[in-house]
Amino acid sequence: MDVERDTQSVGASVVRAADPSIRAIVAPDGLRGGDNEFFGASVTTTKGRQRVKLLLESALEVIEAEGFEGMSLRSVARKAGITIGNLQHYYANHEALLQAVTRYILHHYFVEYDRLAELHAGNVERQFEETIRFLIEDCKSRRTNAVFFSLWALSQRNEFVSELMDLMYTDHRRSLERQLAIINPDIEIDRLPKVAALIAVQIEGLMLLISADRPKHKELEGIEEECMRQIMQLARQTR
């Protein structure tokens, strides 16, 4: 099922004027990259792409351990086992590397969203449910927690990260709105943005409770399924 086309048939007012496309920033040449550019690095070969991916994965390992504050050209080069000069062949300075890493982080989510959309094509409710389950499970990841808590802090002082995070969450809410409009065509139009936002923050808030590094509390056992139940109930309410 074409989510965008079917949503428009529900009502033109459901889909408001689009913000600058987050995908155009994260993956301007598509999720597989262009012929000469890969996450901001100038590369033309498969080997070059593999090297860039190694650098970005190394940067994520540094961020997971030390936060964005610990990510420098030196620390990433050391983690990747190359010289700073070799790293600068791909990313000339810290800001270029920072932007590439931020794009790389968000790229992971778009790949998974597209996989789920293709897997459950024709069943938007199942796609919606599996997307929510993916995000809830992701909240348990040690890396996800380390990276996103650090990203939120960094967005307070870095304009690129701040704008990208806002675009990401706006895109996420709009995607939920489109799916909700199909799952529940009787929902009041002016409730869609609020319901989508409430679902998004309900998932995000689970990071505080279910991350691998958080203390486990017996009374919260099963909170993931309860969250899932509440979200599906909210998605089906008309008012």
PDB file of all heavy atoms in Angstrom, residues 199-234:
ATOM      1  N   ILE A 199       2.746   9.492  21.000  1.00  0.00           N
ATOM      2  CA  ILE A 199       3.312   8.156  20.756  1.00  0.00           C
ATOM      3  C   ILE A 199       4.831   8.238  20.692  1.00  0.00           C
ATOM      4  O   ILE A 199       5.544   7.418  21.275  1.00  0.00           O
ATOM      5  CB  ILE A 199       2.734   7.567  19.453  1.00  0.00           C
ATOM      6  CG1 ILE A 199       1.260   7.217  19.652  1.00  0.00           C
ATOM      7  CG2 ILE A 199       3.525   6.334  19.011  1.00  0.00           C
ATOM      8  CD1 ILE A 199       0.536   6.809  18.381  1.00  0.00           C
ATOM      9  N   ALA A 200       5.349   9.253  19.987  1.00  0.00           N
ATOM     10  CA  ALA A 200       6.801   9.409  19.846  1.00  0.00           C
ATOM     11  C   ALA A 200       7.481   9.602  21.195  1.00  0.00           C
ATOM     12  O   ALA A 200       8.497   8.957  21.487  1.00  0.00           O
ATOM     13  CB  ALA A 200       7.104  10.587  18.923  1.00  0.00           C
ATOM     14  N   VAL A 201       6.920  10.467  22.045  1.00  0.00           N
ATOM     15  CA  VAL A 201       7.576  10.735  23.332  1.00  0.00           C
ATOM     16  C   VAL A 201       7.391   9.578  24.311  1.00  0.00           C
ATOM     17  O   VAL A 201       8.233   9.360  25.188  1.00  0.00           O
ATOM     18  CB  VAL A 201       7.090  12.064  23.965  1.00  0.00           C
ATOM     19  CG1 VAL A 201       7.415  13.224  23.052  1.00  0.00           C
ATOM     20  CG2 VAL A 201       5.603  12.033  24.279  1.00  0.00           C
ATOM     21  N   GLN A 202       6.299   8.830  24.152  1.00  0.00           N
ATOM     22  CA  GLN A 202       6.100   7.661  25.019  1.00  0.00           C
ATOM     23  C   GLN A 202       7.191   6.624  24.768  1.00  0.00           C
ATOM     24  O   GLN A 202       7.727   6.029  25.713  1.00  0.00           O
ATOM     25  CB  GLN A 202       4.717   7.051  24.755  1.00  0.00           C
ATOM     26  CG  GLN A 202       4.296   6.030  25.794  1.00  0.00           C
ATOM     27  CD  GLN A 202       2.833   5.655  25.673  1.00  0.00           C
ATOM     28  OE1 GLN A 202       2.073   6.293  24.960  1.00  0.00           O
ATOM     29  NE2 GLN A 202       2.426   4.616  26.369  1.00  0.00           N
ATOM     30  N   ILE A 203       7.533   6.422  23.506  1.00  0.00           N
ATOM     31  CA  ILE A 203       8.614   5.492  23.168  1.00  0.00           C
ATOM     32  C   ILE A 203       9.948   6.028  23.672  1.00  0.00           C
ATOM     33  O   ILE A 203      10.721   5.317  24.315  1.00  0.00           O
ATOM     34  CB  ILE A 203       8.677   5.273  21.649  1.00  0.00           C
ATOM     35  CG1 ILE A 203       7.382   4.633  21.144  1.00  0.00           C
ATOM     36  CG2 ILE A 203       9.876   4.401  21.279  1.00  0.00           C
ATOM     37  CD1 ILE A 203       7.240   4.677  19.639  1.00  0.00           C
ATOM     38  N   GLU A 204      10.204   7.299  23.380  1.00  0.00           N
ATOM     39  CA  GLU A 204      11.486   7.910  23.754  1.00  0.00           C
ATOM     40  C   GLU A 204      11.709   7.842  25.262  1.00  0.00           C
ATOM     41  O   GLU A 204      12.820   7.591  25.740  1.00  0.00           O
ATOM     42  CB  GLU A 204      11.502   9.369  23.289  1.00  0.00           C
ATOM     43  CG  GLU A 204      12.871   9.935  23.075  1.00  0.00           C
ATOM     44  CD  GLU A 204      13.400   9.628  21.681  1.00  0.00           C
ATOM     45  OE1 GLU A 204      12.710   8.980  20.891  1.00  0.00           O
ATOM     46  OE2 GLU A 204      14.514  10.064  21.398  1.00  0.00           O
ATOM     47  N   GLY A 205      10.637   8.060  26.015  1.00  0.00           N
ATOM     48  CA  GLY A 205      10.750   8.060  27.472  1.00  0.00           C
ATOM     49  C   GLY A 205      11.144   6.716  28.055  1.00  0.00           C
ATOM     50  O   GLY A 205      11.682   6.654  29.172  1.00  0.00           O
ATOM     51  N   LEU A 206      10.902   5.638  27.308  1.00  0.00           N
ATOM     52  CA  LEU A 206      11.276   4.305  27.804  1.00  0.00           C
ATOM     53  C   LEU A 206      12.781   4.162  27.989  1.00  0.00           C
ATOM     54  O   LEU A 206      13.236   3.311  28.747  1.00  0.00           O
ATOM     55  CB  LEU A 206      10.776   3.224  26.843  1.00  0.00           C
ATOM     56  CG  LEU A 206       9.301   2.826  26.937  1.00  0.00           C
ATOM     57  CD1 LEU A 206       8.992   1.737  25.918  1.00  0.00           C
ATOM     58  CD2 LEU A 206       8.927   2.367  28.336  1.00  0.00           C
ATOM     59  N   MET A 207      13.552   4.979  27.286  1.00  0.00           N
ATOM     60  CA  MET A 207      15.014   4.921  27.435  1.00  0.00           C
ATOM     61  C   MET A 207      15.430   5.080  28.891  1.00  0.00           C
ATOM     62  O   MET A 207      16.426   4.518  29.334  1.00  0.00           O
ATOM     63  CB  MET A 207      15.694   6.022  26.609  1.00  0.00           C
ATOM     64  CG  MET A 207      15.885   5.683  25.161  1.00  0.00           C
ATOM     65  SD  MET A 207      17.030   6.867  24.412  1.00  0.00           S
ATOM     66  CE  MET A 207      16.816   6.435  22.694  1.00  0.00           C
ATOM     67  N   LEU A 208      14.650   5.859  29.634  1.00  0.00           N
ATOM     68  CA  LEU A 208      14.994   6.115  31.030  1.00  0.00           C
ATOM     69  C   LEU A 208      14.806   4.883  31.909  1.00  0.00           C
ATOM     70  O   LEU A 208      15.325   4.824  33.022  1.00  0.00           O
ATOM     71  CB  LEU A 208      14.121   7.256  31.577  1.00  0.00           C
ATOM     72  CG  LEU A 208      14.268   8.607  30.874  1.00  0.00           C
ATOM     73  CD1 LEU A 208      13.224   9.579  31.390  1.00  0.00           C
ATOM     74  CD2 LEU A 208      15.669   9.161  31.070  1.00  0.00           C
ATOM     75  N   LEU A 209      14.070   3.886  31.393  1.00  0.00           N
ATOM     76  CA  LEU A 209      13.694   2.753  32.231  1.00  0.00           C
ATOM     77  C   LEU A 209      14.213   1.397  31.764  1.00  0.00           C
ATOM     78  O   LEU A 209      14.444   0.512  32.590  1.00  0.00           O
ATOM     79  CB  LEU A 209      12.156   2.674  32.330  1.00  0.00           C
ATOM     80  CG  LEU A 209      11.450   3.894  32.927  1.00  0.00           C
ATOM     81  CD1 LEU A 209       9.947   3.736  32.755  1.00  0.00           C
ATOM     82  CD2 LEU A 209      11.810   4.064  34.387  1.00  0.00           C
ATOM     83  N   ILE A 210      14.374   1.208  30.442  1.00  0.00           N
ATOM     84  CA  ILE A 210      14.630  -0.158  29.963  1.00  0.00           C
ATOM     85  C   ILE A 210      15.998  -0.339  29.312  1.00  0.00           C
ATOM     86  O   ILE A 210      16.293  -1.414  28.798  1.00  0.00           O
ATOM     87  CB  ILE A 210      13.531  -0.615  28.976  1.00  0.00           C
ATOM     88  CG1 ILE A 210      13.566   0.210  27.680  1.00  0.00           C
ATOM     89  CG2 ILE A 210      12.160  -0.552  29.629  1.00  0.00           C
ATOM     90  CD1 ILE A 210      12.601  -0.306  26.612  1.00  0.00           C
ATOM     91  N   SER A 211      16.827   0.677  29.321  1.00  0.00           N
ATOM     92  CA  SER A 211      18.159   0.525  28.742  1.00  0.00           C
ATOM     93  C   SER A 211      18.931  -0.584  29.454  1.00  0.00           C
ATOM     94  O   SER A 211      18.710  -0.866  30.643  1.00  0.00           O
ATOM     95  CB  SER A 211      18.943   1.840  28.864  1.00  0.00           C
ATOM     96  OG  SER A 211      20.307   1.641  28.560  1.00  0.00           O
ATOM     97  N   ALA A 212      19.842  -1.203  28.720  1.00  0.00           N
ATOM     98  CA  ALA A 212      20.649  -2.295  29.278  1.00  0.00           C
ATOM     99  C   ALA A 212      21.421  -1.869  30.517  1.00  0.00           C
ATOM    100  O   ALA A 212      21.708  -2.687  31.396  1.00  0.00           O
ATOM    101  CB  ALA A 212      21.619  -2.803  28.208  1.00  0.00           C
ATOM    102  N   ASP A 213      21.743  -0.578  30.630  1.00  0.00           N
ATOM    103  CA  ASP A 213      22.545  -0.103  31.750  1.00  0.00           C
ATOM    104  C   ASP A 213      21.714   0.372  32.940  1.00  0.00           C
ATOM    105  O   ASP A 213      22.266   0.726  33.975  1.00  0.00           O
ATOM    106  CB  ASP A 213      23.443   1.060  31.292  1.00  0.00           C
ATOM    107  CG  ASP A 213      24.550   0.578  30.381  1.00  0.00           C
ATOM    108  OD1 ASP A 213      24.924  -0.607  30.471  1.00  0.00           O
ATOM    109  OD2 ASP A 213      25.046   1.383  29.566  1.00  0.00           O
ATOM    110  N   ARG A 214      20.394   0.419  32.782  1.00  0.00           N
ATOM    111  CA  ARG A 214      19.552   0.929  33.858  1.00  0.00           C
ATOM    112  C   ARG A 214      19.272  -0.164  34.896  1.00  0.00           C
ATOM    113  O   ARG A 214      19.183  -1.345  34.564  1.00  0.00           O
ATOM    114  CB  ARG A 214      18.224   1.435  33.301  1.00  0.00           C
ATOM    115  CG  ARG A 214      18.349   2.588  32.321  1.00  0.00           C
ATOM    116  CD  ARG A 214      18.679   3.890  33.031  1.00  0.00           C
ATOM    117  NE  ARG A 214      18.637   4.991  32.098  1.00  0.00           N
ATOM    118  CZ  ARG A 214      19.666   5.394  31.345  1.00  0.00           C
ATOM    119  NH1 ARG A 214      20.821   4.759  31.431  1.00  0.00           N
ATOM    120  NH2 ARG A 214      19.554   6.413  30.520  1.00  0.00           N
ATOM    121  N   PRO A 215      19.100   0.229  36.163  1.00  0.00           N
ATOM    122  CA  PRO A 215      18.697  -0.755  37.186  1.00  0.00           C
ATOM    123  C   PRO A 215      17.355  -1.361  36.809  1.00  0.00           C
ATOM    124  O   PRO A 215      16.498  -0.697  36.225  1.00  0.00           O
ATOM    125  CB  PRO A 215      18.583   0.096  38.460  1.00  0.00           C
ATOM    126  CG  PRO A 215      19.391   1.322  38.191  1.00  0.00           C
ATOM    127  CD  PRO A 215      19.285   1.578  36.722  1.00  0.00           C
ATOM    128  N   LYS A 216      17.180  -2.643  37.113  1.00  0.00           N
ATOM    129  CA  LYS A 216      15.927  -3.333  36.801  1.00  0.00           C
ATOM    130  C   LYS A 216      15.019  -3.322  38.031  1.00  0.00           C
ATOM    131  O   LYS A 216      15.452  -3.643  39.142  1.00  0.00           O
ATOM    132  CB  LYS A 216      16.217  -4.769  36.356  1.00  0.00           C
ATOM    133  CG  LYS A 216      17.103  -4.854  35.115  1.00  0.00           C
ATOM    134  CD  LYS A 216      16.430  -4.211  33.906  1.00  0.00           C
ATOM    135  CE  LYS A 216      17.269  -4.320  32.645  1.00  0.00           C
ATOM    136  NZ  LYS A 216      18.369  -3.350  32.583  1.00  0.00           N
ATOM    137  N   HIS A 217      13.752  -2.957  37.813  1.00  0.00           N
ATOM    138  CA  HIS A 217      12.776  -2.906  38.888  1.00  0.00           C
ATOM    139  C   HIS A 217      11.664  -3.911  38.602  1.00  0.00           C
ATOM    140  O   HIS A 217      11.035  -3.866  37.538  1.00  0.00           O
ATOM    141  CB  HIS A 217      12.192  -1.494  39.016  1.00  0.00           C
ATOM    142  CG  HIS A 217      13.233  -0.454  39.344  1.00  0.00           C
ATOM    143  ND1 HIS A 217      13.690  -0.254  40.621  1.00  0.00           N
ATOM    144  CD2 HIS A 217      13.907   0.412  38.547  1.00  0.00           C
ATOM    145  CE1 HIS A 217      14.608   0.711  40.609  1.00  0.00           C
ATOM    146  NE2 HIS A 217      14.759   1.121  39.364  1.00  0.00           N
ATOM    147  N   LYS A 218      11.416  -4.780  39.563  1.00  0.00           N
ATOM    148  CA  LYS A 218      10.454  -5.870  39.363  1.00  0.00           C
ATOM    149  C   LYS A 218       9.075  -5.356  38.967  1.00  0.00           C
ATOM    150  O   LYS A 218       8.392  -5.951  38.127  1.00  0.00           O
ATOM    151  CB  LYS A 218      10.364  -6.723  40.634  1.00  0.00           C
ATOM    152  CG  LYS A 218       9.496  -7.971  40.464  1.00  0.00           C
ATOM    153  CD  LYS A 218       9.566  -8.866  41.681  1.00  0.00           C
ATOM    154  CE  LYS A 218       8.668 -10.090  41.512  1.00  0.00           C
ATOM    155  NZ  LYS A 218       8.989 -10.878  40.313  1.00  0.00           N
ATOM    156  N   GLU A 219       8.667  -4.226  39.577  1.00  0.00           N
ATOM    157  CA  GLU A 219       7.322  -3.720  39.308  1.00  0.00           C
ATOM    158  C   GLU A 219       7.160  -3.198  37.872  1.00  0.00           C
ATOM    159  O   GLU A 219       6.041  -2.961  37.418  1.00  0.00           O
ATOM    160  CB  GLU A 219       6.956  -2.601  40.300  1.00  0.00           C
ATOM    161  CG  GLU A 219       7.778  -1.318  40.175  1.00  0.00           C
ATOM    162  CD  GLU A 219       9.038  -1.339  41.024  1.00  0.00           C
ATOM    163  OE1 GLU A 219       9.494  -2.453  41.390  1.00  0.00           O
ATOM    164  OE2 GLU A 219       9.554  -0.255  41.320  1.00  0.00           O
ATOM    165  N   LEU A 220       8.285  -3.049  37.163  1.00  0.00           N
ATOM    166  CA  LEU A 220       8.218  -2.565  35.791  1.00  0.00           C
ATOM    167  C   LEU A 220       8.375  -3.681  34.757  1.00  0.00           C
ATOM    168  O   LEU A 220       8.444  -3.399  33.553  1.00  0.00           O
ATOM    169  CB  LEU A 220       9.294  -1.496  35.553  1.00  0.00           C
ATOM    170  CG  LEU A 220       9.157  -0.212  36.382  1.00  0.00           C
ATOM    171  CD1 LEU A 220      10.283   0.751  36.053  1.00  0.00           C
ATOM    172  CD2 LEU A 220       7.798   0.439  36.163  1.00  0.00           C
ATOM    173  N   GLU A 221       8.417  -4.909  35.202  1.00  0.00           N
ATOM    174  CA  GLU A 221       8.512  -6.023  34.257  1.00  0.00           C
ATOM    175  C   GLU A 221       7.308  -6.007  33.314  1.00  0.00           C
ATOM    176  O   GLU A 221       6.165  -5.866  33.751  1.00  0.00           O
ATOM    177  CB  GLU A 221       8.557  -7.360  35.007  1.00  0.00           C
ATOM    178  CG  GLU A 221       9.879  -7.615  35.710  1.00  0.00           C
ATOM    179  CD  GLU A 221       9.893  -8.958  36.432  1.00  0.00           C
ATOM    180  OE1 GLU A 221       8.897  -9.705  36.320  1.00  0.00           O
ATOM    181  OE2 GLU A 221      10.888  -9.246  37.129  1.00  0.00           O
ATOM    182  N   GLY A 222       7.567  -6.134  32.026  1.00  0.00           N
ATOM    183  CA  GLY A 222       6.487  -6.123  31.037  1.00  0.00           C
ATOM    184  C   GLY A 222       6.064  -4.743  30.591  1.00  0.00           C
ATOM    185  O   GLY A 222       5.066  -4.596  29.876  1.00  0.00           O
ATOM    186  N   ILE A 223       6.814  -3.712  30.991  1.00  0.00           N
ATOM    187  CA  ILE A 223       6.419  -2.347  30.628  1.00  0.00           C
ATOM    188  C   ILE A 223       6.457  -2.122  29.121  1.00  0.00           C
ATOM    189  O   ILE A 223       5.694  -1.325  28.584  1.00  0.00           O
ATOM    190  CB  ILE A 223       7.313  -1.301  31.348  1.00  0.00           C
ATOM    191  CG1 ILE A 223       6.678   0.083  31.212  1.00  0.00           C
ATOM    192  CG2 ILE A 223       8.740  -1.333  30.829  1.00  0.00           C
ATOM    193  CD1 ILE A 223       7.356   1.148  32.044  1.00  0.00           C
ATOM    194  N   GLU A 224       7.324  -2.864  28.425  1.00  0.00           N
ATOM    195  CA  GLU A 224       7.382  -2.714  26.968  1.00  0.00           C
ATOM    196  C   GLU A 224       6.065  -3.117  26.321  1.00  0.00           C
ATOM    197  O   GLU A 224       5.541  -2.408  25.450  1.00  0.00           O
ATOM    198  CB  GLU A 224       8.513  -3.561  26.376  1.00  0.00           C
ATOM    199  CG  GLU A 224       9.891  -3.228  26.906  1.00  0.00           C
ATOM    200  CD  GLU A 224      10.305  -4.152  28.044  1.00  0.00           C
ATOM    201  OE1 GLU A 224       9.436  -4.475  28.890  1.00  0.00           O
ATOM    202  OE2 GLU A 224      11.478  -4.564  28.076  1.00  0.00           O
ATOM    203  N   GLU A 225       5.500  -4.252  26.737  1.00  0.00           N
ATOM    204  CA  GLU A 225       4.228  -4.700  26.163  1.00  0.00           C
ATOM    205  C   GLU A 225       3.081  -3.789  26.581  1.00  0.00           C
ATOM    206  O   GLU A 225       2.143  -3.560  25.810  1.00  0.00           O
ATOM    207  CB  GLU A 225       3.936  -6.147  26.570  1.00  0.00           C
ATOM    208  CG  GLU A 225       4.746  -7.170  25.798  1.00  0.00           C
ATOM    209  CD  GLU A 225       4.575  -7.030  24.291  1.00  0.00           C
ATOM    210  OE1 GLU A 225       3.427  -6.888  23.816  1.00  0.00           O
ATOM    211  OE2 GLU A 225       5.606  -7.050  23.586  1.00  0.00           O
ATOM    212  N   GLU A 226       3.152  -3.271  27.809  1.00  0.00           N
ATOM    213  CA  GLU A 226       2.117  -2.331  28.247  1.00  0.00           C
ATOM    214  C   GLU A 226       2.185  -1.048  27.416  1.00  0.00           C
ATOM    215  O   GLU A 226       1.148  -0.496  27.026  1.00  0.00           O
ATOM    216  CB  GLU A 226       2.275  -2.010  29.728  1.00  0.00           C
ATOM    217  CG  GLU A 226       1.255  -1.018  30.275  1.00  0.00           C
ATOM    218  CD  GLU A 226      -0.187  -1.520  30.163  1.00  0.00           C
ATOM    219  OE1 GLU A 226      -0.403  -2.744  30.085  1.00  0.00           O
ATOM    220  OE2 GLU A 226      -1.092  -0.662  30.146  1.00  0.00           O
ATOM    221  N   CYS A 227       3.397  -0.596  27.126  1.00  0.00           N
ATOM    222  CA  CYS A 227       3.572   0.583  26.273  1.00  0.00           C
ATOM    223  C   CYS A 227       2.995   0.309  24.890  1.00  0.00           C
ATOM    224  O   CYS A 227       2.293   1.149  24.314  1.00  0.00           O
ATOM    225  CB  CYS A 227       5.055   0.943  26.179  1.00  0.00           C
ATOM    226  SG  CYS A 227       5.398   2.389  25.154  1.00  0.00           S
ATOM    227  N   MET A 228       3.278  -0.878  24.363  1.00  0.00           N
ATOM    228  CA  MET A 228       2.758  -1.263  23.046  1.00  0.00           C
ATOM    229  C   MET A 228       1.233  -1.265  23.056  1.00  0.00           C
ATOM    230  O   MET A 228       0.593  -0.765  22.122  1.00  0.00           O
ATOM    231  CB  MET A 228       3.299  -2.657  22.714  1.00  0.00           C
ATOM    232  CG  MET A 228       3.088  -3.097  21.293  1.00  0.00           C
ATOM    233  SD  MET A 228       4.199  -2.259  20.140  1.00  0.00           S
ATOM    234  CE  MET A 228       2.983  -1.660  18.959  1.00  0.00           C
ATOM    235  N   ARG A 229       0.647  -1.828  24.106  1.00  0.00           N
ATOM    236  CA  ARG A 229      -0.811  -1.890  24.209  1.00  0.00           C
ATOM    237  C   ARG A 229      -1.421  -0.494  24.262  1.00  0.00           C
ATOM    238  O   ARG A 229      -2.429  -0.200  23.599  1.00  0.00           O
ATOM    239  CB  ARG A 229      -1.207  -2.687  25.464  1.00  0.00           C
ATOM    240  CG  ARG A 229      -2.698  -3.017  25.553  1.00  0.00           C
ATOM    241  CD  ARG A 229      -3.017  -3.768  26.837  1.00  0.00           C
ATOM    242  NE  ARG A 229      -2.895  -2.903  28.005  1.00  0.00           N
ATOM    243  CZ  ARG A 229      -3.848  -2.056  28.381  1.00  0.00           C
ATOM    244  NH1 ARG A 229      -4.971  -1.953  27.696  1.00  0.00           N
ATOM    245  NH2 ARG A 229      -3.687  -1.309  29.464  1.00  0.00           N
ATOM    246  N   GLN A 230      -0.809   0.393  25.060  1.00  0.00           N
ATOM    247  CA  GLN A 230      -1.316   1.762  25.197  1.00  0.00           C
ATOM    248  C   GLN A 230      -1.218   2.528  23.877  1.00  0.00           C
ATOM    249  O   GLN A 230      -2.114   3.294  23.516  1.00  0.00           O
ATOM    250  CB  GLN A 230      -0.534   2.494  26.291  1.00  0.00           C
ATOM    251  CG  GLN A 230      -0.717   1.968  27.685  1.00  0.00           C
ATOM    252  CD  GLN A 230      -2.064   2.347  28.283  1.00  0.00           C
ATOM    253  OE1 GLN A 230      -2.764   3.211  27.774  1.00  0.00           O
ATOM    254  NE2 GLN A 230      -2.427   1.691  29.376  1.00  0.00           N
ATOM    255  N   ILE A 231      -0.117   2.319  23.163  1.00  0.00           N
ATOM    256  CA  ILE A 231       0.065   3.015  21.882  1.00  0.00           C
ATOM    257  C   ILE A 231      -0.972   2.551  20.862  1.00  0.00           C
ATOM    258  O   ILE A 231      -1.571   3.375  20.150  1.00  0.00           O
ATOM    259  CB  ILE A 231       1.494   2.795  21.352  1.00  0.00           C
ATOM    260  CG1 ILE A 231       2.483   3.630  22.179  1.00  0.00           C
ATOM    261  CG2 ILE A 231       1.597   3.168  19.870  1.00  0.00           C
ATOM    262  CD1 ILE A 231       3.938   3.375  21.844  1.00  0.00           C
ATOM    263  N   MET A 232      -1.207   1.253  20.769  1.00  0.00           N
ATOM    264  CA  MET A 232      -2.191   0.747  19.814  1.00  0.00           C
ATOM    265  C   MET A 232      -3.598   1.209  20.194  1.00  0.00           C
ATOM    266  O   MET A 232      -4.421   1.510  19.322  1.00  0.00           O
ATOM    267  CB  MET A 232      -2.124  -0.776  19.736  1.00  0.00           C
ATOM    268  CG  MET A 232      -0.810  -1.321  19.183  1.00  0.00           C
ATOM    269  SD  MET A 232      -0.312  -0.591  17.591  1.00  0.00           S
ATOM    270  CE  MET A 232      -1.632  -1.162  16.509  1.00  0.00           C
ATOM    271  N   GLN A 233      -3.862   1.285  21.474  1.00  0.00           N
ATOM    272  CA  GLN A 233      -5.157   1.787  21.929  1.00  0.00           C
ATOM    273  C   GLN A 233      -5.318   3.252  21.554  1.00  0.00           C
ATOM    274  O   GLN A 233      -6.377   3.676  21.063  1.00  0.00           O
ATOM    275  CB  GLN A 233      -5.270   1.611  23.450  1.00  0.00           C
ATOM    276  CG  GLN A 233      -6.610   2.070  24.032  1.00  0.00           C
ATOM    277  CD  GLN A 233      -6.699   1.760  25.523  1.00  0.00           C
ATOM    278  OE1 GLN A 233      -6.453   0.641  25.949  1.00  0.00           O
ATOM    279  NE2 GLN A 233      -7.048   2.761  26.316  1.00  0.00           N
ATOM    280  N   LEU A 234      -4.267   4.025  21.762  1.00  0.00           N
ATOM    281  CA  LEU A 234      -4.286   5.450  21.419  1.00  0.00           C
ATOM    282  C   LEU A 234      -4.472   5.630  19.905  1.00  0.00           C
ATOM    283  O   LEU A 234      -5.188   6.516  19.446  1.00  0.00           O
ATOM    284  CB  LEU A 234      -2.974   6.105  21.862  1.00  0.00           C
ATOM    285  CG  LEU A 234      -2.856   7.632  21.744  1.00  0.00           C
ATOM    286  CD1 LEU A 234      -3.955   8.330  22.532  1.00  0.00           C
ATOM    287  CD2 LEU A 234      -1.484   8.078  22.238  1.00  0.00           C
TER     288      LEU A 234
END
